[in-house]
Amino acid sequence: MSAARLPSSLRVNAAYFMLQIWFWGMMAAFTGYQTAIVLGRGFSSGQAGVFIALGCLAGIFSQPLLGAWADRHPTVPLKHLFGGCMLLALAVHGAFYFTRPGFFCTALIFLALGALETNSYPLIDSMSMQFLNAGVNVRYSLGRGLGAFSYAGISIMVGRQAQRFGVESALTTHAALVLLILLALAVFPAFPQSTGPEGPRTKPHSPLYILKHNPAFTAMLGAGFFGLMAVMPIVNFLVNLVEDRGGNSGDLGLALFLMAASELPGAILFQWLWKRVGIEKVMLASVIFMAAKPLLFFLCGDLRLLLLLQPIQMLGYGLFNPGNVYFANENVLPEDRVQGQSLKMVATNGLSGVLGNLIAGAMIDGAGISAMLLFCFFSGAVGICLAVLSLRLRKRQKLA
């Protein structure tokens, strides 16, 4: 491996931090307000759940395909694939902003955005992991924490913007942030292919092979699926929860800020925990706190207390997000690592988003926000059981 051809860690980290900051800022400008936007256009909570679920569903099919293609075409820089996704997403958002489509066209737009935006995030993970595995000191968890803080800052900014100019103005902020992503991508170095292992390259395996031959990884994917089922509906329907407790769009922005800002100390804490207790125990702790979040929100009937509880995100999703990336990187063969990052996104943000948002939206319409929170809690409890199973399988694998 020729380290001489690798860019400096300073350059890689600076470009990587910018990508995380602008990407998660972009996600905050849309995903944090997508429910409010479609409700403002006359759709119901159940229909909003369908739209969000379709966006997640698109990622389920497109992420493994894109990951497999990237593993089979290592000469194509991942940054080029990511840039293409962002350009197409910008065009789709433009169509959504300038038109007022009905149910089916709106559903198609969310399907396209899920395939292009949600689908593209594993590429950022894989871009950083390429350099990390080649020996470059990439500060992944810090970058992810900065992205979370950006999500927080943009959330509260867009919340105030929505109060003054209307919630549709979030789409213009989103477009500006996509342009900043493209600028950051332009300075991100392409991974030099000559730094890879010498000799014949091992052919990547199929997703089914990866899942079948690594039961600990598969069980942790299941834990992530149910763990995200515990927290993703709360994020996507936070507007309903805030309004149920007597808040408005400004309170929604503050809630999103407090929730996302807590992920930065969580990301810093992750690095310390990872080195001392190992990735498996960090993952278990994160799933436990993801299950605790909806239970605490269920017991909380006051808006001020709801806002004070938002930083529990630090110990749940704040630890889970970087941990999920490291767990996939450590438990998947080198030739399958892009697919491994895609599979963990499919199981968490993908499948859990589809089922979680469909069920949550229907439950809010039929039984109210409290019923949704109970559903989220029991989903998290299942996630804890699967995380414990993964730890036992991993321990058995190490002893074998």
Side-chain angles (χ1 to χ4, degrees):
M1 185 171 291
S2 175
R5 298 192 61 183
L6 289 170
S8 68
S9 61
L10 178 62
R11 180 187 172 191
V12 174
N13 280 303
Y16 167 67
F17 290 168
M18 285 193 293
L19 274 181
Q20 288 280 11
I21 288 168
W22 301 132
F23 181 88
W24 287 106
M26 174 201 71
M27 295 297 285
F30 182 67
T31 58
Y33 293 88
Q34 59 186 346
T35 303
I37 290 172
V38 295
L39 290 177
R41 293 190 177 191
F43 297 106
S44 67
S45 294
Q47 289 172 321
V50 171
F51 297 147
I52 298 169
L54 284 173
C56 298
L57 184 65
I60 292 174
F61 293 103
S62 58
Q63 284 173 8
L65 293 175
L66 186 61
W69 192 92
D71 280 329
R72 286 174 170 78
H73 299 84
T75 56
V76 178
L78 297 179
K79 61 179 285 184
H80 292 170
L81 296 179
F82 180 63
C85 289
M86 288 294 98
L87 285 171
L88 290 173
L90 184 62
V92 174
H93 265 284
F96 185 55
Y97 178 74
F98 289 109
T99 63
R100 291 296 182 273
F103 177 83
F104 290 106
C105 287
T106 301
L108 287 175
I109 286 173
F110 273 78
L111 199 64
L113 291 175
L116 295 169
E117 289 188 352
T118 306
N119 174 53
S120 66
Y121 184 69
L123 293 175
I124 300 181
D125 287 340
S126 298
M127 286 159 60
S128 63
M129 288 295 140
Q130 278 184 328
F131 286 105
L132 183 69
N133 293 328
V136 178
N137 182 25
V138 180
R139 304 290 301 277
Y140 177 84
S141 61
L142 177 58
R144 183 60 187 84
L146 291 172
F149 195 78
S150 172
Y151 190 104
I154 295 297
S155 293
I156 198 166
M157 185 196 80
V158 175
R160 293 176 178 175
Q161 176 183 312
Q163 281 186 303
R164 184 173 181 182
F165 302 106
V167 73
E168 292 279 339
S169 65
L171 296 175
T172 60
T173 302
H174 173 277
L177 289 164
V178 172
L179 294 176
L180 289 173
I181 289 173
L182 293 172
L183 287 175
L185 194 62
V187 300
F188 193 95
F191 185 74
Q193 295 305 315
S194 60
T195 61
E198 295 180 2
R201 187 176 184 273
T202 306
K203 186 178 180 181
H205 300 98
S206 69
L208 287 178
Y209 179 94
I210 297 171
L211 296 174
K212 181 179 178 181
H213 289 80
N214 198 332
F217 175 66
T218 303
M220 191 59 76
L221 289 181
F225 167 76
F226 285 101
L228 267 291
M229 286 261 280
V231 295
M232 282 186 69
I234 295 176
V235 176
N236 289 318
F237 291 97
L238 189 57
V239 58
N240 301 75
L241 183 57
V242 168
E243 290 177 353
D244 184 74
R245 303 303 194 260
N248 54 32
S249 61
D251 298 312
L252 172 62
L254 179 57
L256 287 168
F257 173 81
L258 293 171
M259 176 187 69
S262 67
E263 291 183 32
L264 177 55
I268 297 171
L269 178 64
F270 164 80
Q271 203 75 22
W272 183 83
L273 289 172
W274 171 55
K275 292 178 179 179
R276 281 158 179 78
V277 303
I279 191 63
E280 292 87 0
K281 291 181 180 179
V282 174
M283 294 295 287
L284 174 60
S286 70
V287 176
I288 290 173
F289 280 100
M290 284 195 288
K293 180 176 180 176
L295 179 61
L296 290 173
F297 283 11
F298 174 79
L299 297 173
C300 155
D302 180 75
L303 177 63
R304 288 171 295 181
L305 184 56
L306 177 70
L307 294 174
L308 289 173
L309 285 172
Q310 292 299 325
I312 194 177
Q313 185 87 344
M314 174 180 69
L315 299 174
Y317 191 67
L319 292 179
F320 177 83
N321 213 8
N324 203 20
V325 174
Y326 277 75
F327 190 88
N329 189 61
E330 292 181 12
N331 287 273
V332 175
L333 294 172
E335 60 268 23
D336 299 321
R337 279 173 174 158
V338 179
Q339 286 191 86
Q341 297 298 337
S342 296
L343 285 171
K344 58 93 177 169
M345 282 293 287
V346 167
T348 53
N349 296 67
L351 283 169
S352 62
V354 171
L355 293 178
N357 288 305
L358 282 175
I359 296 171
M363 292 189 80
I364 291 173
D365 282 343
I369 195 73
S370 294
M372 184 206 78
L373 291 172
L374 284 176
F375 158 74
C376 291
F377 167 68
F378 286 113
S379 296
V382 176
I384 294 173
C385 295
L386 287 171
V388 171
L389 174 62
S390 177
L391 263 64
R392 291 179 177 176
L393 291 171
R394 180 69 172 145
K395 184 177 181 181
R396 191 182 306 167
Q397 182 180 336
K398 288 180 178 179
L399 293 174

